[in-house]
Amino acid sequence: QVQLVESGGGLVQPGGSLRLSCAVSGNIFSIDVMGWYRQAPGKQRELVATVTRGDSINYHDSVKGRFTISRENAKTMLYLQMNSLKPEDTAVYYCHAERVVPANRARFDYWGRGTQVTVSS
């Protein structure tokens, strides 16, 4: 099992910055991919950024150049630095972890409860 707890959300003006944190506990060495997703009102949850066990990073096109995903080497913390925020970045942001069992390729997904980010003047 993996437990994820987000923090760092809040209200920020357009152009401002926020740093989201995700505390990771449990069977952290089993995690293959970690990332951030977001869900705006009336919209589907979407990928924001991910980082793999091998440190391969992927970003949604809309956040490239503005957001940066990072983690501690021990994988106990995951971060999302968000700069130049826009009103369309307003959403609940979720921390996510994925584990794939090599023997049968079974996939397990773990989610935090989310943290609200509101970008408004």
Side-chain angles (χ1 to χ4, degrees), residues 11 13-14 16 21-22 25 33 35 38 43 57 63 68-69 72 91 97 99 110-111 115 118:
L11 173 64
Q13 292 187 342
S21 300
C22 175
S25 60
V33 184
R38 67 186 179 187
K43 294 187 177 181
I57 291 176
V63 307
T68 303
I69 189 171
E72 286 187 16
R99 178 171 72 94
Y110 305 94
W111 294 94
T115 184
T118 302

Side-chain angles (χ1 to χ4, degrees), residues 5-102:
V5 179
E6 304 96 336
S7 61
L11 173 64
V12 63
Q13 292 187 342
S17 298
L18 278 177
R19 188 194 197 202
L20 303 184
S21 300
C22 175
V24 187
S25 60
N27 191 9
I28 60 175
F29 296 105
S30 69
I31 297 172
D32 294 297
V33 184
M34 295 202 66
W36 293 93
Y37 286 71
R38 67 186 179 187
Q39 187 166 19
K43 294 187 177 181
Q44 289 188 331
R45 191 172 296 188
E46 65 178 10
L47 179 151
V48 176
T50 59
V51 55
T52 68
R53 181 189 292 273
D55 295 326
S56 178
I57 291 176
N58 181 50
Y59 294 101
H60 190 280
D61 284 345
S62 67
V63 307
K64 285 181 180 177
R66 300 188 298 122
F67 291 10
T68 303
I69 189 171
S70 62
R71 63 181 179 190
E72 286 187 16
N73 288 335
K75 292 198 251 186
T76 58
M77 293 296 296
L78 182 73
Y79 303 101
L80 185 68
Q81 178 66 43
M82 304 185 294
N83 299 327
S84 302
L85 282 161
K86 305 175 181 180
E88 51 263 42
D89 295 318
T90 296
V92 178
Y93 284 70
Y94 296 91
C95 184
H96 171 258
E98 175 186 322
R99 178 171 72 94
V100 178
V101 179

